[in-house]
Amino acid sequence: MATKKPENLSFEQALEELSTIVSDMEQGDLSLEQSLKQFERGIALASASSGKLQQAEQKVSILMGNSEKSALTNFDNDME
């Protein structure tokens, strides 16, 4: 199976793969070459995820009207 580019993964998929990479590296069973490849992939995933988070924050800011007076409030899911 071909590995998707980090920017083509959803935020959740990137975090899941990043978590797997960290777990694999923590076990210490990878060769130096494998570790470097995994580290490089992890950096790419982290960078792509950070970019997606920034985009989401910008969208929220735009939707809130860029007003500092428009404070975010806790979501209350009680529909009673």
Side-chain angles (χ1 to χ4, degrees):
M1 181 168 102
T3 304
K4 288 186 177 182
K5 292 182 178 181
E7 57 270 10
N8 293 336
L9 295 173
S10 71
F11 180 78
E12 292 79 9
Q13 290 170 324
L15 283 184
E16 184 176 328
E17 185 177 344
L18 190 54
S19 177
T20 300
I21 288 172
V22 169
S23 179
D24 289 346
M25 291 183 76
E26 285 179 340
Q27 290 179 6
D29 296 333
L30 301 176
S31 69
L32 178 60
E33 184 177 326
Q34 291 171 321
S35 293
L36 287 172
K37 282 185 179 181
Q38 290 293 75
F39 181 76
E40 183 177 5
R41 176 76 176 168
I43 293 296
L45 289 165
S47 178
S49 297
S50 177
K52 289 178 186 202
L53 262 181
Q54 284 182 323
Q55 288 176 345
E57 288 174 351
Q58 287 174 348
K59 285 181 183 180
V60 168
S61 179
I62 289 168
L63 291 171
M64 296 296 295
N66 290 329
S67 172
E68 293 185 23
K69 293 181 181 178
S70 299
L72 295 176
T73 58
N74 289 334
F75 177 70
D76 186 7
N77 197 20
D78 292 333
M79 299 293 288
E80 297 175 34

